Amino acid sequence: MSNNKKMGLTARIVVGMAAGILVGFLFKAILSGQDERELVFFGLSIPLKALFVDGVFHVGGEIFIASLKMLVVPLVFVSLVCGTCSLSDTSSLGRLGGKTIGLYLITTAVAISLAMTAALLIGPGKGVDMQSAARFDVSEAPSLAQVFINIFPSNPIASMAQGNMLQIIVFAVLFGLAMALSGKPGERLAAVFTDLSDVIMKLVTILMNLAPYGVFFLMAKLFTTLGFETIASLAKYFGVVLTVLIFHGLVSYSVILKLLTGLNPLIFLRKMRDAALFGFSTSSSNATMPVTMETVTKKLGVKNSVASFTVPLGATINMDGTAIMQGVATIFIAQVFLVDLTMGDYLMVILTATLASIGTAGVPGVGLIMLAMVLQQVGLPVEGIALIIGVDRLLDMTRTAVNVTGDAMVSCIVGKSEQQFDQAVFDDANAGVKDESVDFHHLR
Ligand code: ASP
């Protein structure tokens, strides 16, 4: 038996992550701010930063992220076309869409309300010095009207080339619908799309097996460069965001899942470990999407007809973790700048942050840019973002794990309510696990 088989994928990812963090700290200590430091080895001087941090770690991590992202567009398009054309009737599509979007918006509103309540109770911005702000260049957040117009593609090939997820979703749904209505030609095409979808999922599995190495490189680079000095001065802000993120990810989701579906939340959370770890280490819901899809369909038992719609949509519009950061950040900035927010302002924050999450792309750091839109709505200085930017990386990682978990939870609720759910798969602790290891022997 190989080592791989002895140790599960989750354990291997955790080992990769821990080793990466350790190596990162080690390099940070050795370099101690001197980027030019060299290691002399048998008379050979090795530039540590250039060779390892900006070399091996950087290249390894980037290749890992790129190969995950490589799958997103084909996966979303192909599986969504399959999902739409397999729906029994077209009216179920409207119901499915309504339920999914409704649940995404509601869970996000719950998340941000929790965040604001916690921030108001604890007061993370009281007594913080404004001078500690780093530089932050405000980039224009898109207007709400533009966010809606942008959903519709004028050129689907361009949408795919740009990876514009909402546009790809709209095109794939329409294409799948047309296939369902086309009789024989549609059926023939559906068979091809189903095969394509299986092959792409296999590729996801192969890449997941490389994750421990990818995660190692990402963590090693990040922890060499990450500064922890700012965390101390922003400890309260950091702590409130982190606590609410963990609470929402573990408690709120468990309660909502149990109440709406009766499913066992512990099984759900256990099966979500890999996807959450991917979200944490990549800071990108988009890059994690192939893994979320695999988890939701193969481990949690949601049928592809629902998951192919809910997962990509969630990775694009559902950002509970991001909304939590935005809720706490808004209160924090108001407290630092001594601005009193009214009840109307709070409601406005809930509304805009919920809508802003639709426009927040699932890539690292976008949540901060969309925060500008929320701040502007209630007349707070956008420059306040500069205060929190220093601690955002670690929070981004954690909130992405929450975002991804939220997508999977709503997928389970919708799948269950549409009877597109396989309870046996959900209950089977080993479901999907055997697919995780890829046997290359027959290629030889
Ligand atoms: N990194 C987050 C995600 O991909 C978005 C954000 O909050 O910046 O889900």
Side-chain angles (χ1 to χ4, degrees):
M1 200 188 261
S2 74
N3 260 345
N4 281 4
K5 296 245 168 69
K6 267 189 241 153
M7 213 195 238
L9 181 65
T10 314
R12 284 189 288 134
I13 298 177
V14 171
V15 170
M17 187 178 274
I21 294 176
L22 219 76
V23 169
F25 273 128
L26 201 73
F27 269 81
K28 193 175 166 67
I30 297 174
L31 289 170
S32 55
Q34 290 169 294
D35 289 354
E36 306 308 320
R37 186 159 279 190
E38 295 183 337
L39 187 75
V40 182
F41 192 70
F42 287 117
L44 217 70
S45 45
I46 304 170
L48 286 179
K49 184 158 188 293
L51 186 66
F52 289 100
V53 184
D54 299 334
V56 183
F57 302 162
H58 177 68
V59 173
E62 289 299 310
I63 291 178
F64 174 58
I65 301 251
S67 46
L68 281 172
K69 284 198 198 150
M70 163 184 92
L71 293 179
V72 171
V73 172
L75 175 70
V76 172
F77 182 65
V78 170
S79 64
L80 196 47
V81 168
C82 285
T84 321
C85 76
S86 70
L87 281 175
S88 48
D89 60 312
T90 42
S91 68
S92 61
L93 190 68
R95 206 179 50 231
L96 187 72
K99 264 186 210 172
T100 310
I101 295 173
L103 277 167
Y104 280 149
L105 293 181
I106 293 170
T107 49
T108 306
V110 168
I112 190 166
S113 310
L114 266 178
M116 288 170 66
T117 312
L120 283 172
L121 288 176
I122 295 167
K126 293 195 175 135
V128 171
D129 180 10
M130 253 185 264
Q131 307 310 320
S132 59
R135 251 188 71 74
F136 177 74
D137 295 320
V138 183
S139 52
E140 202 53 40
S143 73
L144 269 186
Q146 203 54 46
V147 167
F148 283 115
I149 294 170
N150 283 349
I151 294 175
F152 295 89
S154 59
N155 176 351
I157 306 292
S159 317
M160 289 187 195
Q162 291 155 3
N164 186 322
M165 217 39 66
L166 288 182
Q167 295 186 352
I168 299 173
I169 290 174
V170 169
F171 180 62
V173 167
L174 294 177
F175 196 83
L177 272 180
M179 266 166 66
L181 300 173
S182 302
K184 279 269 172 270
E187 279 168 29
R188 283 196 299 271
L189 212 48
V192 176
F193 268 92
T194 310
D195 287 351
L196 265 177
S197 164
D198 285 350
V199 173
I200 295 174
M201 283 314 270
K202 181 52 83 186
L203 201 48
V204 173
T205 310
I206 296 173
L207 280 182
M208 280 177 74
N209 273 276
L210 299 177
Y213 308 101
V215 168
F216 169 82
F217 291 131
L218 285 176
M219 293 300 114
K221 163 104 198 266
L222 180 67
F223 279 81
T224 311
T225 40
L226 206 62
F228 288 94
E229 307 74 26
T230 36
I231 292 187
S233 62
L234 289 170
K236 257 189 175 176
Y237 165 78
F238 188 82
V240 175
V241 179
L242 200 65
T243 312
V244 182
L245 282 175
I246 294 173
F247 180 86
H248 192 65
L250 298 181
V251 182
S252 313
Y253 285 158
S254 296
V255 172
I256 299 173
L257 188 73
K258 184 80 194 162
L259 282 181
L260 296 186
T261 64
L263 292 171
N264 184 338
L266 292 179
I267 298 183
F268 169 79
L269 290 174
R270 190 165 344 109
K271 293 192 170 200
M272 276 308 292
R273 283 182 311 199
D274 286 349
L277 281 174
F278 266 76
F280 184 80
S281 46
T282 60
S283 283
S284 167
S285 307
N286 261 356
T288 310
M289 195 197 303
V291 184
T292 318
M293 189 74 117
E294 156 122 3
T295 307
V296 167
T297 51
K298 299 216 173 123
K299 294 187 179 168
L300 294 170
V302 181
K303 297 270 168 65
N304 185 52
S305 55
V306 166
S308 64
F309 181 71
T310 53
V311 172
L313 194 67
T316 317
I317 71 167
N318 183 48
M319 309 272 163
D320 292 3
T322 306
I324 287 172
M325 176 278 287
Q326 290 174 341
V328 179
T330 309
I331 307 271
F332 172 81
I333 291 169
Q335 287 169 348
V336 174
F337 286 89
L338 305 172
V339 178
D340 277 327
L341 294 177
T342 62
M343 198 59 201
D345 289 334
Y346 293 139
L347 291 177
M348 188 51 125
V349 172
I350 295 179
L351 188 73
T352 26
T354 307
L355 293 178
S357 67
I358 296 178
T360 305
V363 290
V366 186
L368 268 195
I369 296 171
M370 293 307 278
L371 177 61
M373 176 170 145
V374 181
L375 295 177
Q376 271 160 358
Q377 280 298 323
V378 287
L380 283 169
V382 175
E383 297 72 31
I385 295 176
L387 288 168
I388 50 175
I389 202 162
V391 293
D392 197 59
R393 190 68 175 93
L394 274 180
L395 293 178
D396 193 7
M397 296 163 77
T398 319
R399 68 180 180 250
T400 308
V402 173
N403 291 345
V404 167
T405 310
D407 302 340
M409 188 209 52
V410 168
S411 301
C412 287
I413 298 175
V414 177
K416 191 102 202 279
S417 77
E418 290 287 313
Q419 278 98 41
Q420 297 291 314
F421 188 80
D422 192 335
Q423 185 75 41
V425 172
F426 184 87
D427 291 335
D428 177 3
N430 291 320
V433 173
K434 36 198 172 302
D435 299 321
E436 273 174 357
S437 55
V438 186
D439 186 5
F440 289 105
H441 287 97
H442 62 281
L443 289 181
R444 291 195 191 128

